[in-house]
Amino acid sequence: MWRSVVTGVYGGRVNTISATATYYVNKYILLRLNYVYAHRWGATSLPTTTINIFQTRLQIVF
């Protein structure tokens, strides 16, 4: 795999999957829940890693 010490780019591959759910509280307020699954592999000097991310957002439209 390609590696650059100067820029910090180590190569490798990443797969991601994401899903979002939206709940409308009323006409002006919504709540979003987002989930992201990321899997990294193939980098020469970094271990294979799996990351699970949960994010929430409350949005007010005015």
Side-chain angles (χ1 to χ4, degrees):
M1 300 295 316
W2 183 78
R3 180 173 182 248
S4 172
V5 177
V6 176
T7 61
V9 177
Y10 296 97
R13 301 189 67 163
V14 175
N15 281 342
T16 60
I17 298 172
S18 64
T20 302
T22 304
Y23 174 69
Y24 292 91
V25 177
N26 60 32
K27 186 177 171 181
Y28 302 104
I29 300 174
L30 58 95
L31 177 64
R32 285 206 171 118
L33 174 64
N34 187 22
Y35 169 73
V36 178
Y37 169 85
H39 179 72
R40 182 192 69 209
W41 78 98
T44 56
S45 60
L46 298 173
T48 298
T49 303
T50 299
I51 300 171
N52 294 291
I53 302 168
F54 291 93
Q55 302 170 348
T56 59
R57 179 172 73 186
L58 178 66
Q59 183 173 339
I60 301 171
V61 180
F62 58 93

